[in-house]
Amino acid sequence: MNDTPDFSSGLSCPIPLDQYPHILLAHGGGGKLTQRLIAQMFLPQFSNPMLEPLHDGAIVTINGKRFAFSTDSFVVSPIFFPGGNIGELAVFGTVNDLAMCGAKPEFLSVGLIIEEGLPMDELWQITQSMRKAAERANVKLVTGDTKVVDRGKGDKLFINTSGVGTIPEEISISPRNARIGDSIIVSGPIGLHGIAIMSVREGLEFESPVLSDTAPLNHLVAKILAQTRGIHVLRDPTRGGIASALNEIAAASDVGIVLREDALPVTDEVQGACEILGLDPLYVANEGKFLSIVDPSDTTKVLEILRGNELGRGACVIGNVVEDHRRSVVMKTRIGGNRVVEMLSGEQLPRIC
Amino acid sequence: MKYLDEFRDEAAARALSQEIRNVTTRAWILMEICGGQTHTIVKSGIDELLPSSITLVHGPGCPVCVTPLEKIDRAIALASRPDVILTSFGDMLRVPGSSTDLLSVKAGGGDVRMVYSPLDAVKIARNNPSRQVVFFGVGFETTAPANAMAIWQAHQLKLDNFSLLCSHVLVPPAIDALLASRTNRVQGFLAAGHVCTVMGYEEYIPLAAKYRVPIVVTGFEPVDILQGILMTVKQLETGRFEVENQYSRSVRREGNIHARNLIDRIFEPGDQKWRGIGLIPKSGYAIRSEFSTFNAEKRFPIDVAEVQESPLCIAGEVLQGLKKPHECSAFGTQCTPESPIGAPMVSSEGACAAYFLYGRMNRAPT
């Protein structure tokens, strides 16, 4: 019996010490509980210099050459939504994560977990749109896997994609790179993806329907990186919205961030839906927008490139990086007050991507 | 939603803020009743636009916060039964009961569903005839018509698998209790616009007269609130104590007669316990006996033990406007939205959540 390993110290689960004996949906919401799960459960075990920056993807070096490597799982419900479906979302999601590392996405893997009973026709539509999405993003789906689970044990279809991209030598993008004085640019109106999904789930109807903004950002990012030198941080604000993304950047770079409420691009439809559903557009998911944290000398140039592209038409400066209130985000309100913009707490919209 | 822009306009807000400064000659303490108003105040930084002599204290108008612990424990017990689908609004699912919360029950296998309306719960009941569907309905007068309508619909449809776990509270008896208290320091009230949209404001006239306090029915946008404050301060400065209506674009003196009739058909006033405050006579709605078949407490008689609140939590004092959230020793340390000790840290109308989420900059824990 002396061979029995001692589980009493190193292998005890750190999470139940908290008050959550079970995983809640909020643990996957991209907010504080997700962060805590990563910090307490995953990081201590797997910690290494490539994982630690907790960026959208890891930056790895092989034979002196730098690659970005990223993975993402998609569980959105419903699988078809206004403006897209789970297939293209899965392709663009990983493409965008790689682009946010400053990489040129090259190869993707696809893992399908299908629930018994999924209509073949729906799977066909989804794979067709994955093919088109890969063509549009100029990436190749080079390996894949298919599993089927019993009816009732999945929800139609879950997709995992992983991807690899090459990073040009001179590029250095990291959430740790934000500097005092930098401008914060968002590439267009926020909250479209989240509201597109919620409008289907809640049966909201608009004069013109809100469509998901799902799109590949790699070509636009490549153009900006080729023509400017002042991009310090890139981030696509998916789950948890721009509020959570900016909080992570403020913490990673040890800086403060100031937002201006009157500068935030929010369409009337998204604003209206948020009023009805009790949501804050700052926390609603995007799938085709990105935040750039830019040296002030390059702000105009970056805006010009963004606005010249259909995916960046609505780009604008929404705030700045400051020295005050380090590691937190503060918003100047429309009426001239200030509010703290916290990281997403709890789960605002489960299964949004 | 464009019409809302005029109520979020910086120039209008600045002009009102200046006028409040001009008319204020001494210190006044005002209470906004509704937690929705508290959130607007902290979220848009209205307190920064006021002269330091005006103190806003936050009232009990957060239905989730004042729902008694026993009621939450009852909901948790129901949600744990395999034959029950428990439905409620999102906030209610995160409020801690004495040992757990509804979301954790869900994670442990309970069928707990978030809905946006009690009528959705009725729909779930129709679609699941072999299960018992309970809607955990909490709220002030504002949500009473929808809850009454849910019972009415279930009655019309002869559903035998829908019931309401009801914890309804009423504003006027709460104002009465606050003003009658020896510790009261509130000199004027911003009454909750949405409550008055349903109920009108006639009930407030005797209260204003009895306690000689101005009561201004106020909306929820920043400009509404500043205007409500201005109207209240003007009354205080000139020695008036009347009921005025700032929110006239939504509120009529008699309220919404159809909604009131529906409430009266289903509910009757009853004694109600308020979490953190205690029992206030005739301050809640009870389901009338002719509809008792839709009363979850009658349908599922469960014994729920009376339990003690955490001694750390000062929610009761916060809800009565005696203390501010950041004056609590647990604020932001032992008590956060992820691991709340008290309900006001959870609810989207809770004062502690408002301070934690939007207003921590100049309010370090004391």
Side-chain angles (χ1 to χ4, degrees):
Chain A
M1 292 301 284
N2 288 347
D3 296 340
T4 313
D6 178 13
F7 288 116
S8 63
S9 55
L11 288 178
S12 65
C13 176
I15 294 290
L17 298 179
D18 216 274
Q19 80 247 59
Y20 297 106
H22 299 107
I23 285 287
L24 304 185
L25 274 172
H27 282 111
K32 280 193 189 166
L33 284 187
T34 308
Q35 223 182 26
R36 202 182 288 176
L37 190 67
I38 293 170
Q40 295 179 353
M41 176 86 91
F42 305 143
L43 257 189
Q45 303 191 66
F46 303 113
S47 188
N48 63 60
M50 288 156 281
L51 176 63
E52 268 155 28
L54 298 179
H55 192 21
D56 287 334
I59 293 172
V60 297
T61 307
I62 303 174
N63 290 337
K65 213 166 160 30
R66 287 187 308 154
F67 297 89
F69 180 34
S70 181
T71 191
D72 209 337
S73 298
F74 296 82
V75 297
V76 63
S77 167
I79 57 177
F80 293 93
F81 47 82
N85 63 55
I86 190 171
E88 61 191 282
L89 192 68
V91 171
F92 294 151
T94 290
V95 162
N96 291 346
D97 282 349
L98 293 170
M100 295 305 122
C101 301
K104 176 180 184 299
E106 305 273 5
F107 306 113
L108 257 52
S109 72
V110 178
L112 300 174
I113 298 169
I114 309 170
E115 185 191 16
E116 179 186 27
L118 178 75
M120 199 58 88
D121 175 55
E122 293 189 12
L123 185 60
W124 172 241
Q125 286 181 53
I126 285 165
T127 50
Q128 268 188 314
S129 77
M130 291 183 86
R131 174 179 55 78
K132 287 184 195 148
E135 282 166 13
R136 189 171 162 203
N138 195 23
V139 292
K140 291 203 161 48
L141 308 189
V142 293
T143 182
D145 178 56
T146 307
K147 296 281 192 304
V148 178
V149 296
D150 305 274
R151 189 188 273 271
K153 298 288 167 66
D155 190 1
K156 288 194 157 190
L157 177 64
F158 299 148
I159 303 181
N160 172 275
T161 52
S162 297
V164 177
T166 47
I167 303 177
E169 229 160 70
E170 64 287 358
I171 299 294
S172 169
I173 304 290
S174 160
R176 296 174 170 177
N177 289 356
R179 293 179 208 158
I180 312 294
D182 283 356
S183 311
I184 299 166
I185 297 175
V186 67
S187 61
I190 57 172
L192 293 170
H193 178 73
I195 294 304
I197 304 278
M198 284 307 277
S199 63
V200 194
R201 287 199 206 150
E202 297 304 325
L204 295 184
E205 286 179 16
F206 303 96
E207 280 174 21
S208 49
V210 175
L211 302 181
S212 166
D213 53 354
T214 176
L217 298 167
N218 53 324
H219 303 309
L220 181 52
V221 167
K223 197 167 178 185
I224 293 171
L225 291 175
Q227 295 182 30
T228 62
R229 282 288 161 270
I231 300 280
H232 295 153
V233 185
L234 291 168
R235 178 54 73 89
D236 62 335
T238 54
R239 287 174 314 174
I242 65 170
S244 301
L246 290 172
N247 269 289
E248 283 172 10
I249 294 167
S253 295
D254 193 24
V255 293
I257 283 177
V258 170
L259 292 180
R260 293 204 321 273
E261 188 175 19
D262 59 4
L264 290 177
V266 183
T267 64
D268 289 344
E269 287 80 9
V270 168
Q271 186 64 47
C274 283
E275 301 282 351
I276 292 166
L277 298 169
L279 303 174
D280 185 337
L282 287 171
Y283 295 91
V284 180
N286 308 274
E287 289 291 343
K289 297 294 176 321
F290 64 104
L291 295 160
S292 326
I293 303 216
V294 186
D295 192 274
S297 63
D298 261 340
T299 306
T300 318
K301 180 75 182 160
V302 172
L303 277 177
E304 196 182 293
I305 302 170
L306 279 167
R307 287 175 182 161
N309 186 294
E310 60 160 332
L311 295 178
R313 196 85 67 212
C316 54
V317 175
I318 56 169
N320 294 88
V321 178
V322 296
E323 201 167 354
D324 294 341
H325 52 80
R326 279 172 189 263
R327 307 175 80 80
S328 61
V329 180
V330 169
M331 184 157 80
K332 299 273 173 217
T333 68
R334 200 170 278 136
I335 65 159
N338 292 289
R339 75 173 251 211
V340 173
V341 176
E342 258 289 325
M343 186 97 193
L344 176 67
S345 172
E347 173 58 278
Q348 196 179 31
L349 306 167
R351 295 187 55 194
I352 207 77
C353 58
Chain B
M1 299 312 287
K2 273 190 177 144
Y3 85 94
L4 278 179
D5 289 347
E6 64 180 293
F7 301 102
R8 295 172 180 174
D9 178 63
E10 179 174 4
R14 293 229 169 264
L16 283 166
S17 141
Q18 190 53 51
E19 208 180 334
I20 294 169
R21 280 171 204 280
N22 294 345
V23 301
T24 307
T25 63
R26 46 173 288 201
W28 298 110
I29 296 179
L30 316 185
M31 172 181 277
E32 81 279 357
I33 286 290
C34 176
Q37 293 167 331
T38 307
H39 272 250
T40 304
I41 288 166
V42 186
K43 196 168 173 180
S44 50
I46 284 178
D47 39 353
E48 297 170 58
L49 302 184
L50 297 177
S52 56
S53 49
I54 304 275
T55 305
L56 294 177
V57 294
H58 316 308
C62 163
V64 169
C65 306
V66 298
T67 300
L69 199 48
E70 299 91 84
K71 212 60 109 164
I72 298 169
D73 283 347
R74 192 174 288 276
I76 288 168
L78 286 175
S80 310
R81 290 171 58 131
D83 58 332
V84 167
I85 301 174
L86 191 114
T87 58
S88 193
F89 299 133
D91 277 359
M92 211 56 231
L93 305 184
R94 294 199 293 140
V95 179
S98 55
S99 63
T100 182
D101 59 44
L102 285 164
L103 282 184
S104 298
V105 174
K106 175 170 185 268
D111 195 343
V112 177
R113 304 186 192 178
M114 186 191 97
V115 292
Y116 277 96
S117 158
L119 301 182
D120 292 341
V122 175
K123 215 180 285 169
I124 294 173
R126 289 183 77 176
N127 295 337
N128 294 274
S130 62
R131 309 275 305 277
Q132 283 292 330
V133 176
V134 178
F135 180 72
F136 188 12
V138 306
F140 281 86
E141 294 92 325
T142 331
T143 49
N147 287 341
M149 181 57 94
I151 289 188
W152 183 247
Q153 274 194 0
H155 171 71
Q156 298 287 81
L157 293 164
K158 301 191 169 51
L159 290 182
D160 58 6
N161 66 330
F162 173 83
S163 58
L164 181 72
L165 178 59
C166 172
S167 185
H168 259 296
V169 280
L170 305 176
V171 171
I175 292 188
D176 200 347
L178 283 170
L179 287 171
S181 159
R182 273 183 300 136
T183 53
N184 172 59
R185 55 194 190 125
V186 178
Q187 295 160 298
F189 284 93
L190 309 184
H194 290 160
V195 168
C196 296
T197 304
V198 175
M199 302 302 290
Y201 52 83
E202 283 163 349
E203 300 170 277
Y204 296 85
I205 295 168
L207 283 173
K210 178 177 169 192
Y211 294 102
R212 304 171 72 88
V213 289
I215 301 177
V216 176
V217 179
T218 303
F220 297 83
E221 296 301 324
V223 167
D224 288 323
I225 289 174
L226 283 162
Q227 205 166 35
I229 293 170
L230 176 64
M231 290 165 75
T232 314
V233 172
K234 274 184 173 167
Q235 286 203 46
L236 287 166
E237 289 282 347
T238 53
R240 289 181 296 130
F241 38 90
E242 298 160 13
V243 176
E244 290 182 302
N245 182 11
Q246 180 278 331
Y247 201 35
S248 57
R249 67 181 185 278
S250 175
V251 173
R252 283 173 299 176
R253 183 185 170 100
E254 70 282 8
N256 180 332
I257 297 291
H258 292 297
R260 289 178 63 179
N261 287 342
L262 181 64
I263 294 172
D264 282 344
R265 181 94 180 79
I266 306 290
F267 296 117
E268 59 192 348
D271 295 347
Q272 173 76 28
K273 198 174 161 190
W274 296 54
R275 187 174 187 177
I277 296 175
L279 187 108
I280 305 177
K282 300 288 174 209
S283 69
Y285 279 138
I287 299 170
R288 287 186 185 276
S289 54
E290 62 175 299
F291 294 103
S292 64
T293 167
F294 300 106
N295 185 341
E297 291 181 74
K298 296 266 160 57
R299 183 168 297 182
F300 305 98
I302 305 171
D303 277 333
V304 177
E306 201 153 310
V307 276
Q308 289 298 313
E309 298 278 354
S310 162
L312 282 174
C313 183
I314 62 161
E317 288 159 283
V318 171
L319 290 165
Q320 294 171 66
L322 300 174
K323 281 200 173 156
K324 295 222 172 185
H326 62 294
E327 290 165 6
C328 174
S329 65
F331 178 80
T333 52
Q334 290 107 311
C335 184
T336 64
E338 287 71 44
S339 48
I341 295 178
M345 187 54 99
V346 178
S347 169
S348 57
E349 294 176 299
C352 301
Y355 273 54
F356 186 87
L357 294 176
Y358 315 123
R360 271 176 304 145
M361 256 174 323
N362 308 316
R363 301 185 188 93
T366 50

